[in-house]
Amino acid sequence: MATQIAPEYPLLTAAEFLKLDFGDLKAELDNGTIRMMAGGSARHAEVAGNIQAFLRTALRGSGCKPYTSDMATRTHDLSVRYPDVSVFCGKNDPAHDAAKSFDDPRVLFEVLSATTARTDLRTKLDEYKALDSVDTIVFVDIASERLRVIQRTGPHGWSDVAHDGPFDVPLPTLSLTLPHAEIFARD
């Protein structure tokens, strides 16, 4: 009886992953392992676009800016995530123009889909909360227009509230509020 031995591959670091070119394909680095990602639905893209567009206008001139899922967030040495919308501050200097990732987001938005919700709500949430810079994490359920808002209350404390009805999201670190109607607008 032959024994099959699975090859052991070294884990990729975030730095190594960010040097790879996936062409038109999307991938994240999950604890040293590449995880391919499929594109989202039209509604997913619309909601993420709504959030980014509102924040782009609201934050102009503040020193903070929202990025789409094209900008990576390094959550630790072996993980690189692509939140649907992330807000970074202090990156306006041209020296940051070629950056492929940052590791100090203030606010993160994940628009949930059936295929990503489990990873978003568990693994990514834990990684995001471990970043000292993060103040607010928002999970957006497009099917039910439900929001889950996780906000830092202290060095190791968090509030975690799910909102079943319309809720305007306060973003204290950005000194603004994101209206529910803007998130789910269809025009």
Side-chain angles (χ1 to χ4, degrees), residues 78-143:
L78 297 176
S79 286
V80 176
R81 303 299 181 178
Y82 290 88
D84 291 300
V85 178
S86 52
V87 178
F88 295 93
C89 300
K91 307 297 185 193
N92 295 333
D93 188 287
H96 296 290
D97 286 354
K100 292 185 176 183
S101 70
F102 297 124
D103 61 3
D104 56 351
R106 297 281 180 90
V107 179
L108 297 160
F109 290 86
E110 289 288 357
V111 180
L112 301 175
S113 66
T115 57
T116 64
R118 182 179 175 148
T119 300
D120 291 347
L121 295 168
R122 293 181 182 176
T123 306
K124 288 185 184 183
L125 174 59
D126 290 343
E127 289 180 11
Y128 294 161
K129 286 170 70 175
L131 296 171
D132 291 337
S133 62
V134 173
D135 178 75
T136 303
I137 305 161
V138 181
F139 292 103
V140 181
D141 185 332
I142 54 178

Side-chain angles (χ1 to χ4, degrees), residues 5-11:
I5 299 174
E8 294 232 2
Y9 296 101
L11 298 177

Side-chain angles (χ1 to χ4, degrees), residues 8-100:
E8 294 232 2
Y9 296 101
L11 298 177
L12 276 176
T13 66
E16 292 166 334
F17 174 80
L18 290 165
K19 291 178 185 174
L20 298 175
D21 181 1
F22 292 95
D24 291 338
L25 301 175
K26 292 189 79 162
E28 285 188 336
L29 185 64
D30 182 8
N31 288 309
T33 302
I34 296 171
R35 304 275 184 224
M36 299 310 294
M37 298 167 41
S41 67
R43 184 65 176 147
H44 182 282
E46 180 180 38
V47 168
N50 288 347
I51 294 166
Q52 197 270 345
F54 177 85
L55 293 174
R56 183 82 177 139
T57 300
L59 292 173
R60 191 169 305 273
S62 72
C64 297
K65 78 171 90 163
Y67 291 86
T68 65
S69 60
D70 289 332
M71 176 51 85
T73 297
R74 286 185 321 271
T75 55
H76 59 79
D77 289 343
L78 297 176
S79 286
V80 176
R81 303 299 181 178
Y82 290 88
D84 291 300
V85 178
S86 52
V87 178
F88 295 93
C89 300
K91 307 297 185 193
N92 295 333
D93 188 287
H96 296 290
D97 286 354
K100 292 185 176 183

